[in-house]
Amino acid sequence: EVQVLESGGGLVQPGGSLRLSCAASGFTFSTYAMSWVRQAPGKGLEWVSAISDRGGSTYYADSVKGQFTISRDNSQNTLYLQMNSLRAEDTAVYYCAKDSVGVPTGAFDYWGQGTLVTVSS
Amino acid sequence: QSVLTQPPSASGTPGQRVTISCSGSSSNIGSNYVYWYQHLPGTAPKLLIYRNNQRPSGVPDRFSGSKSGTSASLAISGLRSEDEADYYCAAWDDSLSVVFGGGTKLTVL
């Protein structure tokens, strides 16, 4: 059974940092692209970042470029999102999503339950 | 402001057919596949339609997708109360990003 499980969310002060993790199981992690998608309170889904199957290519939404860094450890079947200089507008539930192929397409066939990040003083 | 444009709300009565539109541009819908997601609050989003009009296994054939030019649509026939949810379209954009619609809240009256 395919599972993706996010962790690392929590309350952080403005300007602070947080690293999210996504543990994957039930599929060959190293052959699929992965993404982070977030949903701010009362808002819709917003794609944040993606990484190719082997990690050689990374992609970012303009809203987080230079602020967030996506990475993966295929030996540990884990996806990461390093978030720096956090702002109130980064407050959201962050979902880890598996793409259906090795490059990002937007075809997210499996999602985690999400982890809540709250940026507040 | 989302790159893909959806109506904020839609509604129908049980048994009715409802369509949700998604408008984009030549750099996303016009040149790439469209995907549709169903999202119930507090749960993981679910892939409903992939590659414009394909259904993953387990998705009822009441759900169908279509695409024409830079627009796409999701149709739900035989509307049921459990279809009440938020629906999102998504596509790859040639600017090297995934773009979502703003979401459509479907109410079953």
Side-chain angles (χ1 to χ4, degrees), chain A residues 10-18 41 85-92 116-121:
Chain A
L11 175 64
V12 60
Q13 292 190 335
S17 297
L18 211 56
S85 303
L86 284 162
R87 306 179 284 249
E89 52 264 39
D90 296 315
T91 294
L116 177 62
V117 172
T118 303
V119 184
S120 174
S121 55

PDB file of all heavy atoms in Angstrom, chain A residues 10-18 41 85-92 116-121:
ATOM      1  N   GLY A  10       4.564  22.780  12.701  1.00  0.00           N
ATOM      2  CA  GLY A  10       4.441  23.326  14.045  1.00  0.00           C
ATOM      3  C   GLY A  10       4.356  24.835  14.026  1.00  0.00           C
ATOM      4  O   GLY A  10       4.191  25.445  12.976  1.00  0.00           O
ATOM      5  N   LEU A  11       4.498  25.426  15.211  1.00  0.00           N
ATOM      6  CA  LEU A  11       4.444  26.869  15.375  1.00  0.00           C
ATOM      7  C   LEU A  11       5.862  27.443  15.313  1.00  0.00           C
ATOM      8  O   LEU A  11       6.762  26.961  16.008  1.00  0.00           O
ATOM      9  CB  LEU A  11       3.795  27.217  16.713  1.00  0.00           C
ATOM     10  CG  LEU A  11       3.753  28.696  17.106  1.00  0.00           C
ATOM     11  CD1 LEU A  11       2.896  29.484  16.136  1.00  0.00           C
ATOM     12  CD2 LEU A  11       3.230  28.836  18.541  1.00  0.00           C
ATOM     13  N   VAL A  12       6.046  28.442  14.488  1.00  0.00           N
ATOM     14  CA  VAL A  12       7.358  29.071  14.356  1.00  0.00           C
ATOM     15  C   VAL A  12       7.173  30.580  14.279  1.00  0.00           C
ATOM     16  O   VAL A  12       6.157  31.054  13.752  1.00  0.00           O
ATOM     17  CB  VAL A  12       8.102  28.528  13.106  1.00  0.00           C
ATOM     18  CG1 VAL A  12       7.312  28.812  11.845  1.00  0.00           C
ATOM     19  CG2 VAL A  12       9.510  29.068  13.011  1.00  0.00           C
ATOM     20  N   GLN A  13       8.126  31.310  14.815  1.00  0.00           N
ATOM     21  CA  GLN A  13       8.043  32.770  14.781  1.00  0.00           C
ATOM     22  C   GLN A  13       8.405  33.313  13.407  1.00  0.00           C
ATOM     23  O   GLN A  13       9.158  32.671  12.658  1.00  0.00           O
ATOM     24  CB  GLN A  13       8.987  33.356  15.830  1.00  0.00           C
ATOM     25  CG  GLN A  13       8.561  33.083  17.265  1.00  0.00           C
ATOM     26  CD  GLN A  13       9.366  33.878  18.266  1.00  0.00           C
ATOM     27  OE1 GLN A  13      10.501  34.278  17.993  1.00  0.00           O
ATOM     28  NE2 GLN A  13       8.786  34.122  19.431  1.00  0.00           N
ATOM     29  N   PRO A  14       7.866  34.462  13.064  1.00  0.00           N
ATOM     30  CA  PRO A  14       8.254  35.099  11.792  1.00  0.00           C
ATOM     31  C   PRO A  14       9.764  35.248  11.713  1.00  0.00           C
ATOM     32  O   PRO A  14      10.417  35.621  12.680  1.00  0.00           O
ATOM     33  CB  PRO A  14       7.557  36.463  11.868  1.00  0.00           C
ATOM     34  CG  PRO A  14       6.376  36.230  12.752  1.00  0.00           C
ATOM     35  CD  PRO A  14       6.846  35.245  13.782  1.00  0.00           C
ATOM     36  N   GLY A  15      10.294  34.905  10.545  1.00  0.00           N
ATOM     37  CA  GLY A  15      11.734  34.936  10.337  1.00  0.00           C
ATOM     38  C   GLY A  15      12.421  33.633  10.668  1.00  0.00           C
ATOM     39  O   GLY A  15      13.612  33.456  10.368  1.00  0.00           O
ATOM     40  N   GLY A  16      11.700  32.723  11.261  1.00  0.00           N
ATOM     41  CA  GLY A  16      12.261  31.441  11.660  1.00  0.00           C
ATOM     42  C   GLY A  16      12.331  30.432  10.529  1.00  0.00           C
ATOM     43  O   GLY A  16      11.950  30.716   9.394  1.00  0.00           O
ATOM     44  N   SER A  17      12.843  29.255  10.864  1.00  0.00           N
ATOM     45  CA  SER A  17      13.009  28.177   9.883  1.00  0.00           C
ATOM     46  C   SER A  17      12.341  26.909  10.380  1.00  0.00           C
ATOM     47  O   SER A  17      12.141  26.712  11.586  1.00  0.00           O
ATOM     48  CB  SER A  17      14.496  27.900   9.649  1.00  0.00           C
ATOM     49  OG  SER A  17      15.143  29.012   9.108  1.00  0.00           O
ATOM     50  N   LEU A  18      12.035  26.048   9.420  1.00  0.00           N
ATOM     51  CA  LEU A  18      11.406  24.770   9.730  1.00  0.00           C
ATOM     52  C   LEU A  18      11.765  23.812   8.605  1.00  0.00           C
ATOM     53  O   LEU A  18      11.886  24.234   7.439  1.00  0.00           O
ATOM     54  CB  LEU A  18       9.892  24.950   9.803  1.00  0.00           C
ATOM     55  CG  LEU A  18       9.049  24.075  10.744  1.00  0.00           C
ATOM     56  CD1 LEU A  18       9.558  24.182  12.179  1.00  0.00           C
ATOM     57  CD2 LEU A  18       7.597  24.513  10.681  1.00  0.00           C
ATOM     58  N   PRO A  41      -5.211  28.779   5.298  1.00  0.00           N
ATOM     59  CA  PRO A  41      -6.569  28.769   5.871  1.00  0.00           C
ATOM     60  C   PRO A  41      -7.558  29.506   4.986  1.00  0.00           C
ATOM     61  O   PRO A  41      -7.332  30.665   4.605  1.00  0.00           O
ATOM     62  CB  PRO A  41      -6.378  29.491   7.209  1.00  0.00           C
ATOM     63  CG  PRO A  41      -4.962  29.264   7.560  1.00  0.00           C
ATOM     64  CD  PRO A  41      -4.214  29.257   6.258  1.00  0.00           C
ATOM     65  N   SER A  85      13.211  31.978   6.598  1.00  0.00           N
ATOM     66  CA  SER A  85      12.636  33.333   6.594  1.00  0.00           C
ATOM     67  C   SER A  85      11.113  33.289   6.507  1.00  0.00           C
ATOM     68  O   SER A  85      10.500  33.968   5.687  1.00  0.00           O
ATOM     69  CB  SER A  85      13.208  34.134   5.412  1.00  0.00           C
ATOM     70  OG  SER A  85      14.605  34.176   5.456  1.00  0.00           O
ATOM     71  N   LEU A  86      10.539  32.491   7.358  1.00  0.00           N
ATOM     72  CA  LEU A  86       9.098  32.262   7.282  1.00  0.00           C
ATOM     73  C   LEU A  86       8.299  33.513   7.605  1.00  0.00           C
ATOM     74  O   LEU A  86       8.688  34.314   8.472  1.00  0.00           O
ATOM     75  CB  LEU A  86       8.705  31.098   8.196  1.00  0.00           C
ATOM     76  CG  LEU A  86       9.074  29.725   7.623  1.00  0.00           C
ATOM     77  CD1 LEU A  86       9.079  28.656   8.694  1.00  0.00           C
ATOM     78  CD2 LEU A  86       8.130  29.352   6.488  1.00  0.00           C
ATOM     79  N   ARG A  87       7.193  33.651   6.890  1.00  0.00           N
ATOM     80  CA  ARG A  87       6.308  34.801   7.037  1.00  0.00           C
ATOM     81  C   ARG A  87       4.911  34.300   7.385  1.00  0.00           C
ATOM     82  O   ARG A  87       4.589  33.123   7.160  1.00  0.00           O
ATOM     83  CB  ARG A  87       6.268  35.596   5.742  1.00  0.00           C
ATOM     84  CG  ARG A  87       7.624  36.013   5.211  1.00  0.00           C
ATOM     85  CD  ARG A  87       7.491  36.781   3.915  1.00  0.00           C
ATOM     86  NE  ARG A  87       7.194  35.938   2.780  1.00  0.00           N
ATOM     87  CZ  ARG A  87       8.041  35.705   1.789  1.00  0.00           C
ATOM     88  NH1 ARG A  87       9.262  36.202   1.841  1.00  0.00           N
ATOM     89  NH2 ARG A  87       7.676  34.968   0.760  1.00  0.00           N
ATOM     90  N   ALA A  88       4.085  35.200   7.866  1.00  0.00           N
ATOM     91  CA  ALA A  88       2.721  34.828   8.232  1.00  0.00           C
ATOM     92  C   ALA A  88       1.988  34.186   7.059  1.00  0.00           C
ATOM     93  O   ALA A  88       1.200  33.253   7.240  1.00  0.00           O
ATOM     94  CB  ALA A  88       1.964  36.053   8.731  1.00  0.00           C
ATOM     95  N   GLU A  89       2.262  34.669   5.856  1.00  0.00           N
ATOM     96  CA  GLU A  89       1.573  34.138   4.675  1.00  0.00           C
ATOM     97  C   GLU A  89       2.012  32.731   4.297  1.00  0.00           C
ATOM     98  O   GLU A  89       1.432  32.124   3.385  1.00  0.00           O
ATOM     99  CB  GLU A  89       1.708  35.090   3.484  1.00  0.00           C
ATOM    100  CG  GLU A  89       3.120  35.505   3.169  1.00  0.00           C
ATOM    101  CD  GLU A  89       3.487  36.837   3.808  1.00  0.00           C
ATOM    102  OE1 GLU A  89       3.076  37.093   4.969  1.00  0.00           O
ATOM    103  OE2 GLU A  89       4.203  37.625   3.146  1.00  0.00           O
ATOM    104  N   ASP A  90       3.012  32.202   4.971  1.00  0.00           N
ATOM    105  CA  ASP A  90       3.418  30.814   4.748  1.00  0.00           C
ATOM    106  C   ASP A  90       2.620  29.855   5.628  1.00  0.00           C
ATOM    107  O   ASP A  90       2.772  28.633   5.516  1.00  0.00           O
ATOM    108  CB  ASP A  90       4.909  30.640   5.028  1.00  0.00           C
ATOM    109  CG  ASP A  90       5.779  31.439   4.072  1.00  0.00           C
ATOM    110  OD1 ASP A  90       5.497  31.418   2.854  1.00  0.00           O
ATOM    111  OD2 ASP A  90       6.732  32.100   4.545  1.00  0.00           O
ATOM    112  N   THR A  91       1.786  30.392   6.496  1.00  0.00           N
ATOM    113  CA  THR A  91       0.930  29.559   7.332  1.00  0.00           C
ATOM    114  C   THR A  91      -0.016  28.751   6.459  1.00  0.00           C
ATOM    115  O   THR A  91      -0.766  29.307   5.649  1.00  0.00           O
ATOM    116  CB  THR A  91       0.110  30.431   8.309  1.00  0.00           C
ATOM    117  OG1 THR A  91       0.999  31.055   9.234  1.00  0.00           O
ATOM    118  CG2 THR A  91      -0.915  29.584   9.064  1.00  0.00           C
ATOM    119  N   ALA A  92       0.034  27.434   6.608  1.00  0.00           N
ATOM    120  CA  ALA A  92      -0.760  26.561   5.743  1.00  0.00           C
ATOM    121  C   ALA A  92      -0.601  25.110   6.185  1.00  0.00           C
ATOM    122  O   ALA A  92       0.298  24.783   6.960  1.00  0.00           O
ATOM    123  CB  ALA A  92      -0.313  26.696   4.288  1.00  0.00           C
ATOM    124  N   LEU A 116       0.583  20.867   9.509  1.00  0.00           N
ATOM    125  CA  LEU A 116       0.246  22.278   9.668  1.00  0.00           C
ATOM    126  C   LEU A 116       1.463  23.088  10.092  1.00  0.00           C
ATOM    127  O   LEU A 116       2.136  22.748  11.066  1.00  0.00           O
ATOM    128  CB  LEU A 116      -0.862  22.441  10.703  1.00  0.00           C
ATOM    129  CG  LEU A 116      -1.283  23.877  11.048  1.00  0.00           C
ATOM    130  CD1 LEU A 116      -1.828  24.589   9.820  1.00  0.00           C
ATOM    131  CD2 LEU A 116      -2.299  23.866  12.190  1.00  0.00           C
ATOM    132  N   VAL A 117       1.717  24.137   9.355  1.00  0.00           N
ATOM    133  CA  VAL A 117       2.770  25.096   9.696  1.00  0.00           C
ATOM    134  C   VAL A 117       2.089  26.415  10.051  1.00  0.00           C
ATOM    135  O   VAL A 117       1.331  26.953   9.237  1.00  0.00           O
ATOM    136  CB  VAL A 117       3.749  25.282   8.525  1.00  0.00           C
ATOM    137  CG1 VAL A 117       4.721  26.425   8.822  1.00  0.00           C
ATOM    138  CG2 VAL A 117       4.484  23.995   8.232  1.00  0.00           C
ATOM    139  N   THR A 118       2.358  26.914  11.225  1.00  0.00           N
ATOM    140  CA  THR A 118       1.789  28.177  11.674  1.00  0.00           C
ATOM    141  C   THR A 118       2.930  29.143  11.967  1.00  0.00           C
ATOM    142  O   THR A 118       3.802  28.849  12.792  1.00  0.00           O
ATOM    143  CB  THR A 118       0.939  27.993  12.939  1.00  0.00           C
ATOM    144  OG1 THR A 118      -0.093  27.037  12.682  1.00  0.00           O
ATOM    145  CG2 THR A 118       0.299  29.318  13.342  1.00  0.00           C
ATOM    146  N   VAL A 119       2.924  30.267  11.276  1.00  0.00           N
ATOM    147  CA  VAL A 119       3.955  31.288  11.485  1.00  0.00           C
ATOM    148  C   VAL A 119       3.312  32.446  12.237  1.00  0.00           C
ATOM    149  O   VAL A 119       2.468  33.159  11.698  1.00  0.00           O
ATOM    150  CB  VAL A 119       4.551  31.770  10.150  1.00  0.00           C
ATOM    151  CG1 VAL A 119       5.683  32.764  10.421  1.00  0.00           C
ATOM    152  CG2 VAL A 119       5.041  30.589   9.327  1.00  0.00           C
ATOM    153  N   SER A 120       3.705  32.584  13.484  1.00  0.00           N
ATOM    154  CA  SER A 120       3.087  33.610  14.329  1.00  0.00           C
ATOM    155  C   SER A 120       3.983  33.908  15.518  1.00  0.00           C
ATOM    156  O   SER A 120       4.703  33.025  16.006  1.00  0.00           O
ATOM    157  CB  SER A 120       1.717  33.131  14.817  1.00  0.00           C
ATOM    158  OG  SER A 120       1.158  34.046  15.738  1.00  0.00           O
ATOM    159  N   SER A 121       3.913  35.140  15.980  1.00  0.00           N
ATOM    160  CA  SER A 121       4.674  35.516  17.167  1.00  0.00           C
ATOM    161  C   SER A 121       3.823  35.351  18.430  1.00  0.00           C
ATOM    162  O   SER A 121       4.274  35.617  19.534  1.00  0.00           O
ATOM    163  CB  SER A 121       5.166  36.960  17.042  1.00  0.00           C
ATOM    164  OG  SER A 121       4.072  37.825  16.793  1.00  0.00           O
TER     165      SER A 121
END
